[in-house]
Amino acid sequence: MSGGGRHTVPVDVHLIAVRDGEEGPEALLSRRAGGVYATGHWHFPSGHVDGPAEDVVAALVRETREETGLVVEPEDVRAAVTVHHRAPVGSTRVGFFFEVRRWSGTPTVMEPEVCDGMGWFPLDAPPEPMVAYCRAGLDAYRTGAGVALHFQEPGDPIGHDPAVDRLRVVPAPDSTGARSEPEIPGPAGRATGGTGETAGLS
């Protein structure tokens, strides 16, 4: 091990709640507000693991209820993708993105001091502006990848910008042990909040 002690990073969890929309699958997104990081940007409902006594699935279940009011059973949580992220300021973290397709309740803004909008958006047309880290998790999830890297550079924007897309999908072995190279979706169409920001929450 190199000198300087062990490198430690925050661990966060992200909810990819998916439902069938009229034109295809949709995911639930919330808009950050107040004095938080990336205010005004769309993001998956998310949060941090509370400590060594809480596993990532338990953290997802807790954060989902605290932020959206939805009740998710642990057995309905599915692994989506894990993203190793570095922010433009240089701090790093590991995010576990989980897919959920079953829950009880109706999505509701439960923390209005840090969230001012919530709605369903097509997986292939997320709203803008969207946090680049979250968008990287969404794009990696759409490829079917299990692990991805998103290392931003100093000066990169907080919001997703196709011109400085830092997503790198880590290839998975196929059945023969050879590496497969998943295709990363190109820039998706844009959807603005407008009158649809809180529409279709049932």
Side-chain angles (χ1 to χ4, degrees), residues 80-157:
V81 61
T82 300
V83 180
H84 190 190
H85 167 69
R86 181 177 67 196
V89 295
S91 58
T92 59
R93 63 183 57 239
V94 173
F96 290 82
F97 292 70
F98 293 101
E99 179 192 274
V100 174
R101 292 179 179 262
R102 293 180 55 185
W103 57 80
S104 60
T106 300
T108 304
V109 174
M110 302 294 289
E111 300 174 331
E113 68 279 7
V114 294
C115 174
D116 66 0
M118 189 173 290
W120 296 97
F121 296 91
L123 284 175
D124 61 355
E128 297 289 355
M130 189 172 184
V131 177
Y133 170 32
C134 180
R135 177 58 184 267
L138 171 61
D139 288 345
Y141 162 71
R142 291 177 59 215
T143 71
V147 176
L149 308 177
H150 186 249
F151 266 42
Q152 293 182 280
E153 299 292 337
D156 281 359

XYZ file of all heavy atoms in Angstrom, residues 80-157:
598
model
N -28.356 -2.039 -10.484
C -28.356 -1.453 -11.825
C -26.921 -1.214 -12.298
O -26.443 -1.860 -13.222
C -29.160 -0.155 -11.828
N -26.211 -0.286 -11.643
C -24.832 0.001 -12.026
C -24.142 0.680 -10.846
O -24.783 1.359 -10.042
C -24.782 0.902 -13.286
C -25.453 2.247 -13.034
C -23.367 1.092 -13.795
N -22.845 0.475 -10.734
C -22.025 1.151 -9.741
C -21.103 2.120 -10.468
O -20.438 1.740 -11.441
C -21.199 0.145 -8.920
O -22.091 -0.749 -8.248
C -20.340 0.856 -7.897
N -21.078 3.377 -10.003
C -20.291 4.414 -10.669
C -19.251 4.977 -9.705
O -19.581 5.414 -8.604
C -21.196 5.557 -11.176
C -20.356 6.642 -11.863
C -22.261 5.024 -12.136
N -17.989 4.963 -10.136
C -16.908 5.628 -9.402
C -16.783 7.016 -10.006
O -16.459 7.166 -11.194
C -15.608 4.838 -9.556
C -14.514 5.320 -8.658
N -13.212 4.881 -8.773
C -14.509 6.197 -7.618
C -12.466 5.455 -7.854
N -13.232 6.280 -7.142
N -17.048 8.034 -9.184
C -17.187 9.407 -9.685
C -16.160 10.333 -9.050
O -15.850 10.222 -7.863
C -18.601 9.913 -9.354
C -18.783 11.385 -9.517
N -18.784 12.016 -10.744
C -18.978 12.369 -8.591
C -18.969 13.314 -10.573
N -19.087 13.558 -9.286
N -15.648 11.253 -9.877
C -14.827 12.351 -9.372
C -15.450 13.663 -9.831
O -15.702 13.863 -11.025
C -13.391 12.265 -9.894
C -12.487 13.399 -9.352
C -11.061 13.261 -9.828
N -10.954 13.464 -11.276
C -9.903 13.104 -12.007
N -8.878 12.498 -11.437
N -9.877 13.325 -13.313
N -15.713 14.542 -8.892
C -16.315 15.843 -9.182
C -15.269 16.794 -9.752
O -14.060 16.560 -9.623
C -16.927 16.420 -7.915
N -15.692 17.883 -10.385
C -14.724 18.849 -10.934
C -13.759 19.410 -9.888
O -12.626 19.768 -10.227
C -15.629 19.960 -11.495
C -16.916 19.262 -11.830
C -17.079 18.221 -10.765
N -14.172 19.451 -8.624
C -13.285 19.967 -7.579
C -12.297 18.921 -7.087
O -11.432 19.212 -6.261
C -14.096 20.505 -6.386
C -14.924 21.711 -6.800
C -14.980 19.425 -5.775
N -12.419 17.686 -7.577
C -11.451 16.647 -7.240
C -11.900 15.627 -6.225
O -11.239 14.595 -6.039
N -13.008 15.864 -5.522
C -13.490 14.884 -4.549
C -14.091 13.688 -5.273
O -14.635 13.812 -6.372
C -14.539 15.522 -3.637
O -15.626 16.026 -4.397
N -13.969 12.509 -4.656
C -14.455 11.286 -5.290
C -15.477 10.591 -4.399
O -15.552 10.838 -3.197
C -13.300 10.309 -5.587
O -12.641 9.979 -4.354
C -12.306 10.916 -6.557
N -16.255 9.713 -5.019
C -17.256 8.936 -4.302
C -17.619 7.718 -5.135
O -17.290 7.641 -6.312
C -18.505 9.777 -4.025
C -19.229 10.240 -5.275
C -20.433 11.128 -4.938
N -20.052 12.269 -4.148
C -20.550 12.516 -2.930
N -21.452 11.720 -2.397
N -20.158 13.576 -2.265
N -18.312 6.780 -4.503
C -18.827 5.610 -5.207
C -20.342 5.609 -5.046
O -20.851 5.728 -3.924
C -18.231 4.305 -4.654
C -18.915 3.089 -5.289
C -16.729 4.250 -4.919
N -21.037 5.503 -6.153
C -22.485 5.510 -6.129
C -23.059 4.187 -6.606
O -22.648 3.665 -7.642
N -23.988 3.650 -5.823
C -24.709 2.441 -6.191
C -26.082 2.849 -6.728
O -26.889 3.430 -5.997
C -24.879 1.523 -4.979
C -23.607 0.890 -4.497
C -22.725 1.584 -3.674
C -23.280 -0.404 -4.874
C -21.549 0.997 -3.229
C -22.106 -1.006 -4.432
C -21.238 -0.296 -3.614
N -26.325 2.577 -7.997
C -27.600 2.877 -8.639
C -28.443 1.602 -8.651
O -27.976 0.544 -9.110
C -27.390 3.382 -10.056
C -26.731 4.736 -10.137
C -25.390 4.904 -9.803
C -27.455 5.852 -10.549
C -24.778 6.142 -9.881
C -26.851 7.100 -10.627
C -25.505 7.252 -10.290
N -29.672 1.705 -8.151
C -30.555 0.543 -8.051
C -31.841 0.768 -8.829
O -32.436 1.848 -8.773
C -30.915 0.271 -6.585
C -29.759 -0.167 -5.737
C -29.125 0.718 -4.887
C -29.309 -1.485 -5.791
C -28.060 0.312 -4.091
C -28.241 -1.899 -5.004
C -27.617 -1.003 -4.150
N -32.263 -0.259 -9.542
C -33.545 -0.224 -10.250
C -34.649 -0.777 -9.349
O -34.468 -1.799 -8.683
C -33.480 -1.058 -11.522
C -34.790 -1.083 -12.299
C -34.790 -2.132 -13.390
O -34.308 -1.829 -14.499
O -35.245 -3.270 -13.126
N -35.774 -0.087 -9.328
C -36.955 -0.543 -8.592
C -38.165 -0.389 -9.500
O -38.365 0.687 -10.084
C -37.152 0.273 -7.290
C -38.460 -0.113 -6.616
C -35.986 0.051 -6.342
N -38.962 -1.436 -9.616
C -40.171 -1.397 -10.439
C -41.440 -1.675 -9.641
O -42.534 -1.666 -10.197
C -40.053 -2.384 -11.605
C -38.994 -1.962 -12.632
C -38.859 -2.954 -13.766
N -37.869 -2.538 -14.742
C -38.153 -1.914 -15.890
N -39.413 -1.638 -16.187
N -37.180 -1.569 -16.718
N -41.287 -1.925 -8.348
C -42.441 -2.151 -7.476
C -42.302 -1.310 -6.218
O -41.219 -1.253 -5.625
C -42.547 -3.630 -7.089
C -42.884 -4.570 -8.243
C -42.966 -6.002 -7.760
N -43.909 -6.144 -6.643
C -44.100 -7.281 -5.971
N -43.404 -8.363 -6.274
N -44.970 -7.322 -4.987
N -43.375 -0.669 -5.820
C -43.392 0.152 -4.607
C -44.843 0.401 -4.235
O -45.768 0.072 -4.982
C -42.675 1.483 -4.852
C -43.252 2.267 -6.006
C -44.378 3.044 -6.012
C -42.734 2.307 -7.341
N -44.602 3.579 -7.258
C -43.607 3.141 -8.093
C -41.626 1.741 -7.968
C -43.385 3.408 -9.448
C -41.424 2.015 -9.309
C -42.296 2.831 -10.032
N -45.042 0.989 -3.087
C -46.370 1.441 -2.705
C -46.309 2.929 -2.401
O -45.283 3.438 -1.962
C -46.890 0.665 -1.484
O -46.046 0.842 -0.371
N -47.419 3.614 -2.662
C -47.472 5.046 -2.441
C -47.371 5.833 -3.727
O -47.218 5.271 -4.818
N -47.472 7.145 -3.594
C -47.397 8.074 -4.716
C -46.221 9.016 -4.512
O -46.056 9.563 -3.414
C -48.694 8.907 -4.809
O -49.804 8.021 -4.990
C -48.638 9.885 -5.971
N -45.369 9.217 -5.524
C -44.223 10.113 -5.358
C -44.654 11.510 -4.931
O -45.538 12.118 -5.534
C -43.588 10.134 -6.746
C -44.037 8.877 -7.399
C -45.413 8.620 -6.874
N -44.024 11.991 -3.885
C -44.352 13.295 -3.311
C -43.064 13.978 -2.872
O -42.151 13.322 -2.368
C -45.265 13.123 -2.072
O -46.433 12.377 -2.442
C -45.688 14.470 -1.509
N -42.985 15.279 -3.068
C -41.828 16.031 -2.573
C -41.924 16.076 -1.051
O -42.759 16.772 -0.484
C -41.791 17.453 -3.157
C -40.664 18.255 -2.513
C -41.613 17.412 -4.673
N -41.069 15.317 -0.392
C -41.104 15.203 1.065
C -40.162 16.182 1.762
O -40.291 16.434 2.953
C -40.734 13.777 1.481
C -41.643 12.694 0.892
S -43.336 12.787 1.506
C -43.101 12.241 3.199
N -39.188 16.702 1.018
C -38.195 17.611 1.593
C -38.144 18.898 0.762
O -37.188 19.120 0.010
C -36.830 16.928 1.659
C -36.818 15.669 2.511
C -35.495 14.909 2.462
O -34.791 14.998 1.422
O -35.165 14.242 3.443
N -39.184 19.736 0.856
C -39.266 20.920 -0.013
C -38.125 21.906 0.166
O -37.881 22.730 -0.725
C -40.615 21.543 0.386
C -40.919 21.011 1.748
C -40.324 19.637 1.776
N -37.407 21.816 1.263
C -36.289 22.736 1.461
C -35.104 22.401 0.554
O -34.232 23.245 0.317
C -35.844 22.732 2.928
C -35.205 21.449 3.425
C -36.200 20.351 3.801
O -37.407 20.527 3.564
O -35.732 19.328 4.339
N -35.059 21.182 0.028
C -33.961 20.786 -0.856
C -34.450 20.226 -2.188
O -33.652 19.790 -3.015
C -33.028 19.754 -0.171
C -32.320 20.382 1.010
C -33.798 18.512 0.248
N -35.768 20.235 -2.414
C -36.328 19.691 -3.653
C -37.581 20.475 -4.005
O -38.487 20.600 -3.173
C -36.657 18.209 -3.481
S -37.520 17.449 -4.893
N -37.644 21.010 -5.241
C -38.813 21.806 -5.619
C -39.561 21.244 -6.819
O -40.448 21.906 -7.370
C -38.415 23.257 -5.878
C -37.516 23.432 -7.094
O -37.182 22.426 -7.764
O -37.137 24.583 -7.381
N -39.238 20.040 -7.234
C -39.947 19.425 -8.355
C -39.681 17.948 -8.426
O -38.622 17.471 -8.008
N -40.659 17.203 -8.933
C -40.516 15.756 -9.064
C -41.423 15.308 -10.201
O -42.545 15.802 -10.338
C -40.906 15.078 -7.749
C -40.594 13.597 -7.666
S -40.928 12.952 -5.987
C -39.616 13.743 -5.039
N -40.943 14.406 -11.016
C -41.769 13.947 -12.124
C -41.173 12.756 -12.834
O -40.036 12.350 -12.574
N -41.970 12.189 -13.730
C -41.568 11.034 -14.530
C -41.099 11.520 -15.887
O -41.773 12.327 -16.536
C -42.738 10.069 -14.704
C -43.206 9.456 -13.419
C -44.254 9.856 -12.640
C -42.638 8.304 -12.772
N -44.374 9.037 -11.553
C -43.407 8.080 -11.597
C -41.563 7.457 -13.063
C -43.125 7.030 -10.731
C -41.286 6.422 -12.193
C -42.064 6.209 -11.042
N -39.961 10.996 -16.341
C -39.397 11.396 -17.616
C -38.936 10.148 -18.383
O -38.456 9.188 -17.777
C -38.204 12.327 -17.407
C -38.567 13.629 -16.747
C -38.531 13.754 -15.361
C -38.946 14.719 -17.503
C -38.862 14.945 -14.747
C -39.276 15.925 -16.899
C -39.240 16.038 -15.520
N -39.054 10.165 -19.726
C -38.587 9.025 -20.517
C -37.101 8.743 -20.248
O -36.304 9.672 -20.142
C -38.810 9.473 -21.969
C -39.872 10.527 -21.880
C -39.638 11.221 -20.570
N -36.759 7.464 -20.176
C -35.358 7.106 -19.946
C -34.448 7.646 -21.034
O -33.280 7.956 -20.778
C -35.217 5.582 -19.862
C -35.673 4.918 -18.562
C -35.579 3.402 -18.697
C -34.843 5.392 -17.381
N -34.975 7.751 -22.266
C -34.135 8.219 -23.367
C -34.285 9.714 -23.624
O -33.735 10.230 -24.590
C -34.427 7.428 -24.642
C -35.870 7.582 -25.117
O -36.679 8.224 -24.405
O -36.204 7.053 -26.190
N -35.005 10.429 -22.765
C -35.147 11.877 -22.922
C -35.244 12.545 -21.556
O -36.272 13.131 -21.211
C -36.374 12.201 -23.779
N -34.194 12.457 -20.759
C -34.229 13.070 -19.421
C -34.244 14.588 -19.522
O -33.849 15.152 -20.546
C -32.946 12.558 -18.770
C -32.027 12.295 -19.920
C -32.900 11.810 -21.040
N -34.684 15.267 -18.466
C -34.759 16.727 -18.510
C -33.384 17.366 -18.361
O -32.434 16.742 -17.922
C -35.637 17.044 -17.293
C -35.334 15.935 -16.334
C -35.146 14.709 -17.187
N -33.323 18.616 -18.733
C -32.120 19.422 -18.543
C -32.466 20.641 -17.703
O -33.597 21.124 -17.780
C -31.562 19.869 -19.900
C -31.110 18.740 -20.811
C -29.834 18.048 -20.359
O -29.231 18.514 -19.358
O -29.454 17.069 -20.986
N -31.532 21.150 -16.914
C -30.192 20.584 -16.709
C -30.251 19.389 -15.760
O -31.089 19.332 -14.864
C -29.420 21.738 -16.075
C -30.468 22.503 -15.310
C -31.723 22.408 -16.131
N -29.362 18.446 -15.975
C -29.286 17.253 -15.147
C -27.865 17.119 -14.610
O -26.890 17.398 -15.331
C -29.661 16.017 -15.957
C -29.816 14.744 -15.155
S -30.501 13.412 -16.190
C -30.680 12.120 -14.945
N -27.720 16.744 -13.362
C -26.399 16.568 -12.766
C -25.594 15.574 -13.615
O -26.080 14.480 -13.927
C -26.510 16.077 -11.315
C -25.126 15.824 -10.726
C -27.279 17.081 -10.463
N -24.386 15.941 -13.991
C -23.584 15.101 -14.890
C -23.337 13.711 -14.304
O -23.374 12.710 -15.029
C -22.259 15.794 -15.197
N -23.079 13.649 -13.024
C -22.848 12.365 -12.347
C -24.078 11.468 -12.459
O -23.985 10.285 -12.799
C -22.499 12.674 -10.894
C -22.442 11.523 -9.918
C -22.046 10.246 -10.287
C -22.756 11.747 -8.575
C -21.978 9.221 -9.354
C -22.678 10.737 -7.635
C -22.296 9.471 -8.037
O -22.225 8.454 -7.103
N -25.237 12.032 -12.203
C -26.475 11.267 -12.290
C -26.741 10.830 -13.735
O -27.139 9.690 -13.986
C -27.635 12.114 -11.771
S -29.236 11.289 -11.832
N -26.496 11.736 -14.690
C -26.699 11.395 -16.095
C -25.748 10.272 -16.517
O -26.123 9.389 -17.294
C -26.500 12.634 -16.960
C -26.613 12.397 -18.457
C -27.957 11.815 -18.883
N -27.939 11.533 -20.312
C -28.370 12.391 -21.233
N -28.836 13.591 -20.884
N -28.328 12.057 -22.508
N -24.540 10.278 -15.985
C -23.601 9.201 -16.291
C -24.142 7.869 -15.783
O -24.049 6.843 -16.462
C -22.237 9.494 -15.670
N -24.725 7.873 -14.574
C -25.319 6.654 -14.055
C -26.473 6.179 -14.912
O -26.621 4.976 -15.177
N -27.308 7.117 -15.370
C -28.430 6.755 -16.242
C -27.942 6.164 -17.554
O -28.430 5.109 -18.000
C -29.288 8.000 -16.512
C -30.382 7.852 -17.571
C -31.387 6.780 -17.182
C -31.088 9.186 -17.804
N -26.970 6.827 -18.192
C -26.463 6.329 -19.475
C -25.787 4.969 -19.317
O -25.939 4.082 -20.172
C -25.502 7.332 -20.094
C -26.217 8.577 -20.621
O -27.453 8.531 -20.760
O -25.532 9.581 -20.884
N -25.034 4.788 -18.243
C -24.385 3.492 -18.013
C -25.436 2.407 -17.772
O -25.308 1.287 -18.269
C -23.426 3.587 -16.829
N -26.456 2.735 -17.015
C -27.562 1.802 -16.763
C -28.224 1.378 -18.064
O -28.538 0.197 -18.265
C -28.570 2.475 -15.839
C -29.943 1.872 -15.805
C -30.183 0.632 -15.210
C -31.029 2.558 -16.341
C -31.463 0.091 -15.163
C -32.302 2.034 -16.295
C -32.516 0.795 -15.708
O -33.794 0.270 -15.670
N -28.405 2.324 -18.969
C -29.056 2.012 -20.249
C -28.213 1.084 -21.110
O -28.742 0.385 -21.984
C -29.382 3.298 -20.993
C -30.484 4.129 -20.329
C -30.726 5.433 -21.068
N -31.114 5.171 -22.448
C -30.769 5.940 -23.478
N -30.000 7.011 -23.276
N -31.164 5.640 -24.690
N -26.878 1.048 -20.908
C -26.040 0.120 -21.658
C -26.100 -1.292 -21.085
O -25.655 -2.242 -21.732
C -24.559 0.558 -21.658
O -24.007 0.359 -20.358
C -24.409 2.003 -22.089
N -26.581 -1.422 -19.841
C -26.560 -2.720 -19.178
C -25.252 -2.992 -18.466
O -25.026 -4.105 -17.979
N -24.389 -1.987 -18.372
C -23.092 -2.172 -17.710
C -23.268 -2.336 -16.214
O -24.213 -1.820 -15.618
C -22.189 -0.979 -17.997
N -22.335 -3.045 -15.591
C -22.372 -3.211 -14.150
C -21.550 -2.179 -13.409
O -21.856 -1.823 -12.271
N -20.482 -1.683 -14.069
C -19.572 -0.725 -13.445
C -19.204 0.344 -14.466
O -19.005 0.043 -15.656
C -18.284 -1.413 -12.927
C -17.308 -0.392 -12.359
C -18.624 -2.461 -11.870
N -19.115 1.590 -14.002
C -18.712 2.679 -14.884
C -17.853 3.668 -14.109
O -17.901 3.734 -12.872
C -19.935 3.392 -15.468
N -17.069 4.437 -14.845
C -16.234 5.493 -14.291
C -16.723 6.831 -14.817
O -17.091 6.951 -15.993
C -14.779 5.290 -14.701
C -14.165 3.916 -14.431
C -12.743 3.863 -14.977
C -14.198 3.586 -12.953
N -16.716 7.825 -13.949
C -17.098 9.179 -14.365
C -16.181 10.144 -13.637
O -16.515 10.687 -12.598
C -18.569 9.453 -14.040
C -19.049 10.768 -14.561
N -19.369 11.831 -13.739
C -19.246 11.207 -15.832
C -19.754 12.856 -14.483
N -19.679 12.514 -15.747
N -14.999 10.341 -14.201
C -13.983 11.197 -13.586
C -13.952 12.534 -14.312
O -13.404 12.650 -15.410
C -12.614 10.510 -13.644
C -12.296 9.729 -12.400
C -13.255 8.944 -11.779
C -11.031 9.762 -11.846
C -12.975 8.230 -10.630
C -10.727 9.048 -10.690
C -11.713 8.282 -10.077
N -14.552 13.543 -13.679
C -14.570 14.864 -14.270
C -13.249 15.584 -14.044
O -12.468 15.242 -13.153
C -15.729 15.680 -13.689
C -17.092 15.139 -14.093
C -18.229 15.983 -13.558
O -18.606 15.866 -12.399
N -18.780 16.842 -14.402
N -13.008 16.589 -14.882
C -11.784 17.380 -14.824
C -12.078 18.752 -14.225
O -13.219 19.231 -14.280
C -11.187 17.536 -16.224
C -10.786 16.230 -16.895
C -9.613 15.559 -16.210
O -8.851 16.269 -15.515
O -9.446 14.340 -16.379
N -11.066 19.419 -13.650
C -11.281 20.778 -13.143
C -11.876 21.670 -14.230
O -11.428 21.654 -15.376
C -9.871 21.233 -12.752
C -9.146 19.960 -12.446
C -9.684 18.948 -13.427
N -12.899 22.406 -13.871
C -13.549 23.289 -14.835
C -14.725 22.679 -15.547
O -15.480 23.381 -16.226
N -14.900 21.361 -15.444
C -16.072 20.729 -16.050
C -17.344 21.246 -15.376
O -17.354 21.528 -14.175
C -16.022 19.207 -15.886
C -15.092 18.530 -16.880
O -14.502 19.227 -17.716
O -14.967 17.285 -16.813
N -18.437 21.348 -16.122
C -19.681 21.817 -15.519
C -20.311 20.766 -14.613
O -20.097 19.560 -14.800
C -20.578 22.096 -16.733
C -20.067 21.157 -17.792
C -18.574 21.084 -17.567
